[in-house]
Amino acid sequence: MVNDQTRYSRLANITKLINTRLELRDVLEYVTTAISEEIVQCNAVGIFLPHGDGTFRGYVGKPEIINGSTLHTQVIDPKIDGLAREVIETKRTIYIPDTSKDNRPDLVPIQAFQIKSILALPISFEQELYGLVFLFDYGIAMNLTESEIQSVEAYVNMAAVAIRNANYVTQQEKLISEKQLLLDVTRDLSMCSSMQECLQTCFFYLGKVLDNYNVAVHLLNPIADQSIKHANLNQDRTNEGWIETCNKIKNAQCYDTLMQNVIQTKEAIFIPNVFTDKRLNHDVCLTYAIKGLFMIPLVSMDEVLGVILVVNMEGKDLIYTRSQIQLAQSIVEATTSTLSGLLYMNQLETMIEERTKELTIANEKNLSVIESITDGFIALSKEWRLTYLNKNLFLSHKKTSKDVLGKNIWEAFPRFVDTILYKEFHKVMLERIPVHFEFHFAYTDRWYEIVSYPYDEGICGLIKDITEKKKYEKEIKRLSGLELIGQMAAGISHEIRNPMTTVRGFLQLLNEEVEFVEYKHYLNVMIEELDRANSIITEFLSMSNTRTSDLQKLDLNAIIHDIVPLIKVDAFNQNKKIKIDTNDIPELLLNRNEIRQLLINLYRNGLEAMSEGKELTIRTYKEDDCVILAVQDEGEGIKPEVLEKLGTPFFTTKETGTGLGLGVSYAIAARHHAKIEIQTGQEGTTFFVKFNL
């Protein structure tokens, strides 16, 4: 047996392997090798991981082949193997020195591999079982000591940590992937201008998640049903063929009972094998080769708009994980929201077309419908006079509907002349076609989505405030840019730093040998510039959103008070004042060093923005479900053109700045699942860092 020093060295190596996040198989192979070398009497080690059917399958081990059988073909069934069952139930190590005197192990492998003694261990961590480990010698007894068993247990514990870490990484990657997919769904649905496009988008993502493109829809609303021509998607056969199959199945009333059940309960139904459910017409299912069925209702405001069907027409059962089902339902919910809005728009457009010729008779009804719209609504005559505004339309300059009704819109709002609003409204008026566009009103810094239609001899328009949506899209774009920059930085920094280190070393060597003072000065300047470039690379690397932070439960106020002396010294040197106002807040998951860096970046920016005698305030407080860190200066505020570019790498207004400080701050906030918001004006600027609880 190897000595304790070697054993501890191997344990340290395993720990290092786990922390370097190698592939799980590499770590477990190292564990099996270490075990077989640690227990010199043992020549067979096998790690078995759980399978979906309740059995455990061989994953890695030594040797790969025993008695003509490979490790990967080995299956341990706890229902048959009493030893495995007891290890699973107790999560404790079991050593059987003589298998002939113990009836717990499965006799088949005992006889096949001539196992005289066996050691079985659970791979568990915090009461969660990740797998099993079996040790034995082919044809001879192992005669293990308690010390040897404990050594093996130490390595197996490392294997448990490795598997837990691998599972956690896999879950995190899957969660990120699902969130990104839902963001993609939301983005694509927001760009749909028709219910046809909306449903096609839904079907594409459902097919992607469920790996099944046999998708169809049954809409209950007659207007919606008339608007959909081919709301089906299938990649295995022509679209027309799939539509024809859907119509035949519908006419055969294969699943009418289930459809009514879904509509009444407003809940999805998942049937892996249709022949196990008596509510279905099995003859029709057999005729059209229907094997499985997944039905999801389209529910908007407690009303069922229709039902989406995913049909399995293959030979095997329809098997989806709980995660797949939940993700599919989330896609349908997002689709329902968009579909409901488009359906409402279709209904409104139809109503306007039918009623504009009878405006006098149906005026009261039309007004009630228009007033119920949550967005702004406007109507203009052919002379550009405002004939109607609903209560939800925002008017600038503190005007009311009474102030502008009956007046020319371009005279009442001269700021709109020579804008896209002016151009598009004229297009509708002259060409008599609907338009859909976005408009930025610089006076209030608000964004609006406008849909305008011709009616009678004038035009009307729906005006929706999308300012928050724009901010969200901008933030997503900025974070994506930071992630790309961080990935690029991580890739090139090593190649840049190596030659820089070499050059700096030779410069230092020359500096020691050169006798002339003037040359020494030049060499010192060159070394300082290389050091400055290296610090810029370090800051650049800090912007990577792909980095992970070691987060711990910490007191944000304590971190602030730790660096208060540094803040006060900086303020005193600049003849400026500091005010610290920390309130009672809960502990947060934080990285102390990164939060210190974030705070230093923000307070130094604040000090530099103020003239002498001004005061910088640092506050913490709780608001709703957030803890907020606010850094407020009394400077002159940030100009709009500068505010737009804040956080962009290498953008700076300082003569000696690198333009990386705020970018680093945004990256640190993102790694803490926080966001940075800015309020600025002539009286100063406040940076708000909002940490979610």
Side-chain angles (χ1 to χ4, degrees):
M1 188 177 73
V2 296
N3 58 38
D4 288 343
Q5 183 176 358
T6 303
R7 183 184 310 152
Y8 295 144
S9 175
R10 286 182 180 146
L11 285 172
N13 285 338
I14 294 175
T15 304
K16 183 178 179 181
L17 284 172
I18 293 172
N19 291 333
T20 54
R21 296 178 66 180
L22 289 177
E23 289 292 329
L24 178 62
R25 184 177 295 276
D26 295 337
V27 178
L28 295 184
E29 284 178 350
Y30 188 94
V31 170
T32 57
T33 301
I35 289 175
S36 64
E37 292 178 2
E38 184 73 23
I39 311 299
V40 295
Q41 297 90 340
C42 172
N43 58 28
V45 180
I47 293 182
F48 295 76
L49 300 186
H51 203 255
D53 57 3
T55 63
F56 290 74
R57 306 289 177 95
Y59 188 68
V60 297
K62 176 184 178 182
E64 280 290 326
I65 301 176
I66 301 178
N67 200 19
S69 177
T70 63
L71 176 71
H72 299 292
T73 62
Q74 298 303 307
V75 178
I76 295 176
D77 189 348
K79 296 178 181 177
I80 301 173
D81 195 323
L83 174 60
R85 183 168 60 251
E86 185 173 340
V87 172
I88 293 169
E89 292 173 354
T90 63
K91 295 185 179 64
R92 298 175 66 177
T93 301
I94 297 177
Y95 173 52
I96 300 177
D98 188 349
T99 56
S100 65
K101 298 178 180 180
D102 197 308
N103 60 359
R104 287 175 292 179
D106 185 2
L107 288 178
V108 174
I110 293 294
Q111 295 172 356
F113 302 135
Q114 301 179 27
I115 301 173
K116 303 301 181 183
S117 61
I118 188 169
L119 178 65
L121 306 96
I123 306 176
S124 62
F125 187 82
E126 295 181 348
Q127 297 304 310
E128 185 169 356
L129 185 71
Y130 296 109
L132 301 173
V133 179
F134 290 91
L135 285 75
F136 63 90
D137 260 341
Y138 187 85
I140 59 174
M142 291 187 293
N143 298 321
L144 297 179
T145 66
E146 186 63 26
S147 175
E148 291 171 329
I149 293 174
Q150 290 175 358
S151 297
V152 175
E153 287 178 332
Y155 289 123
V156 172
N157 288 339
M158 292 295 100
V161 174
I163 296 173
R164 185 202 63 167
N165 290 352
N167 291 344
Y168 177 78
V169 171
T170 300
Q171 290 172 357
Q172 290 297 104
E173 290 175 348
K174 184 178 180 182
L175 182 61
I176 292 171
S177 176
E178 289 178 354
K179 287 183 177 179
Q180 184 58 54
L181 185 138
L182 289 176
L183 284 173
D184 293 342
V185 171
T186 304
R187 179 201 63 207
D188 291 350
L189 287 173
S190 68
M191 297 170 64
C192 293
S193 58
S194 68
M195 288 184 287
Q196 178 78 30
E197 292 178 359
C198 176
L199 287 170
Q200 290 296 122
T201 300
C202 172
F203 293 167
F204 170 79
Y205 282 103
L206 282 177
K208 189 175 181 179
V209 169
L210 303 176
D211 193 24
N212 186 345
Y213 290 89
N214 295 328
V215 188
V217 65
H218 290 279
L219 295 175
L220 305 183
N221 189 293
I223 296 178
D225 205 25
Q226 293 171 8
S227 302
I228 307 302
K229 297 180 180 179
H230 301 294
N232 303 280
L233 182 64
N234 181 275
Q235 292 185 339
D236 298 327
R237 63 191 70 138
T238 63
N239 199 35
E240 291 76 10
W242 170 233
I243 295 170
E244 183 180 352
T245 301
C246 286
N247 290 333
K248 288 180 179 179
I249 296 173
K250 182 178 179 181
N251 293 334
Q253 298 180 340
C254 173
Y255 38 67
D256 281 6
T257 303
L258 280 179
M259 183 81 68
Q260 292 302 319
N261 192 349
V262 171
I263 294 170
Q264 291 172 5
T265 63
K266 302 181 178 66
E267 293 181 356
I269 291 179
F270 174 51
I271 304 175
N273 189 334
V274 296
F275 298 104
T276 62
D277 196 307
K278 297 181 180 180
R279 294 171 293 181
L280 290 159
N281 187 324
H282 294 169
D283 292 335
V284 176
C285 291
L286 194 61
T287 301
Y288 295 102
I290 300 174
K291 184 65 176 178
L293 192 63
F294 188 16
M295 306 177 77
I296 313 171
L298 291 156
V299 183
S300 175
M301 298 179 66
D302 207 38
E303 179 184 358
V304 179
L305 302 181
V307 178
I308 286 181
L309 300 97
V310 182
V311 182
N312 181 30
M313 305 184 74
E314 307 299 332
K316 54 186 179 181
D317 288 353
L318 192 66
I319 299 175
Y320 296 137
T321 64
R322 183 177 180 181
S323 175
Q324 283 178 296
I325 292 175
Q326 290 176 343
L327 192 54
Q329 290 177 314
S330 296
I331 292 171
V332 172
E333 288 174 3
T335 301
T336 304
S337 178
T338 303
L339 189 66
S340 177
L342 291 170
L343 176 59
Y344 187 72
M345 291 295 295
N346 279 7
Q347 292 171 330
L348 180 60
E349 184 177 3
T350 302
M351 185 177 296
I352 292 174
E353 290 175 353
E354 293 175 352
R355 297 291 183 264
T356 48
K357 295 180 182 179
E358 316 169 1
L359 186 58
T360 304
I361 300 173
N363 186 49
E364 290 184 4
K365 184 175 181 180
N366 283 343
L367 289 179
S368 64
V369 171
I370 295 171
E371 284 296 330
S372 68
I373 301 173
T374 56
D375 300 324
F377 181 85
I378 186 174
L380 300 167
S381 69
K382 65 178 180 178
E383 294 85 13
W384 296 109
R385 296 189 181 279
L386 289 154
T387 58
Y388 185 80
L389 302 94
N390 75 341
K391 62 183 179 182
N392 293 314
L393 180 68
F394 172 76
L395 297 175
S396 61
H397 306 88
K398 298 182 180 180
K399 293 182 179 180
T400 65
S401 58
K402 293 181 180 179
D403 298 329
V404 297
L405 274 175
K407 295 183 179 179
N408 185 294
I409 185 174
W410 313 122
E411 294 176 359
F413 302 99
R415 291 180 182 271
F416 293 157
V417 178
D418 295 330
T419 65
I420 187 174
L421 181 74
Y422 183 90
K423 176 183 176 182
E424 294 297 322
F425 273 14
H426 275 78
K427 184 177 182 180
V428 181
M429 187 72 80
L430 298 176
E431 300 180 21
R432 313 306 294 165
I433 58 173
V435 296
H436 182 188
F437 63 96
E438 293 181 353
F439 171 60
H440 180 230
F441 187 26
Y443 180 77
T444 58
D445 194 26
R446 307 292 294 179
W447 278 92
Y448 298 94
E449 182 181 25
I450 301 176
V451 180
S452 182
Y453 303 87
Y455 91 100
D456 281 353
E457 294 182 343
I459 65 173
C460 64
L462 285 168
I463 303 172
K464 181 178 182 179
D465 190 332
I466 58 169
T467 305
E468 291 303 316
K469 176 185 174 184
K470 284 289 184 181
K471 289 181 180 179
Y472 175 75
E473 291 174 348
K474 179 181 177 182
E475 180 68 7
I476 290 294
K477 182 178 180 182
R478 186 188 62 74
L479 288 176
S480 299
L482 282 179
E483 182 175 357
L484 177 60
I485 289 168
Q487 291 172 349
M488 292 173 61
I492 68 174
S493 63
H494 179 72
E495 298 301 327
I496 293 177
R497 275 177 165 167
N498 279 350
M500 284 174 58
T501 302
T502 303
V503 172
R504 192 185 189 284
F506 280 113
L507 286 174
Q508 285 181 315
L509 188 61
L510 287 173
N511 196 18
E512 294 174 0
E513 297 181 358
V514 169
E515 296 179 357
F516 296 103
V517 176
E518 184 179 0
Y519 289 165
K520 282 182 175 289
H521 171 70
Y522 293 154
L523 291 171
N524 286 332
V525 171
M526 294 167 71
I527 291 172
E528 289 174 1
E529 288 302 305
L530 282 173
D531 289 341
R532 181 171 179 270
N534 190 50
S535 68
I536 291 175
I537 291 174
T538 301
E539 282 193 80
F540 196 33
L541 281 172
S542 297
M543 298 177 63
S544 173
N545 275 345
T546 59
R547 286 180 50 182
T548 57
S549 295
D550 183 14
L551 305 181
Q552 299 177 353
K553 278 277 188 179
L554 297 174
D555 185 353
L556 177 60
N557 290 338
I559 297 176
I560 294 172
H561 287 292
D562 282 347
I563 63 171
V564 163
L566 174 63
I567 301 173
K568 289 184 176 179
V569 168
D570 283 349
F572 178 81
N573 290 337
Q574 300 178 41
N575 195 21
K576 297 166 187 175
K577 294 181 286 186
I578 290 291
K579 178 182 178 182
I580 306 296
D581 179 16
T582 54
N583 295 280
D584 186 24
I585 56 174
E587 289 188 338
L588 300 168
L589 283 171
L590 304 173
N591 180 295
R592 182 183 299 275
N593 291 334
E594 289 193 344
I595 294 301
R596 281 171 60 94
Q597 184 63 52
L598 169 68
L599 186 58
I600 289 171
N601 290 348
L602 294 182
Y603 93 72
R604 285 182 175 170
N605 282 347
L607 288 176
E608 291 171 0
M610 300 189 305
S611 57
E612 292 186 0
K614 298 292 186 178
E615 185 176 66
L616 181 79
T617 303
I618 298 175
R619 290 187 296 144
T620 59
Y621 56 94
K622 185 175 180 293
E623 183 179 273
D624 298 329
D625 293 331
C626 293
V627 169
I628 298 177
L629 165 64
V631 180
Q632 179 179 1
D633 64 55
E634 294 181 350
E636 296 178 356
I638 304 173
K639 296 179 180 179
E641 60 271 20
V642 175
L643 187 64
E644 183 72 15
K645 298 179 181 179
L646 280 185
T648 303
F650 303 114
F651 172 77
T652 181
T653 58
K654 308 171 188 175
E655 293 183 1
T656 60
T658 63
L660 295 175
L662 269 182
V664 170
S665 300
Y666 276 109
I668 291 173
R671 290 196 290 273
H672 285 75
H673 307 293
K675 61 180 180 179
I676 297 177
E677 295 181 358
I678 305 172
Q679 261 185 15
T680 188
Q682 295 180 353
E683 60 278 355
T685 301
T686 305
F687 281 78
F688 298 96
V689 185
K690 296 187 176 181
F691 298 88
N692 290 325
L693 291 177

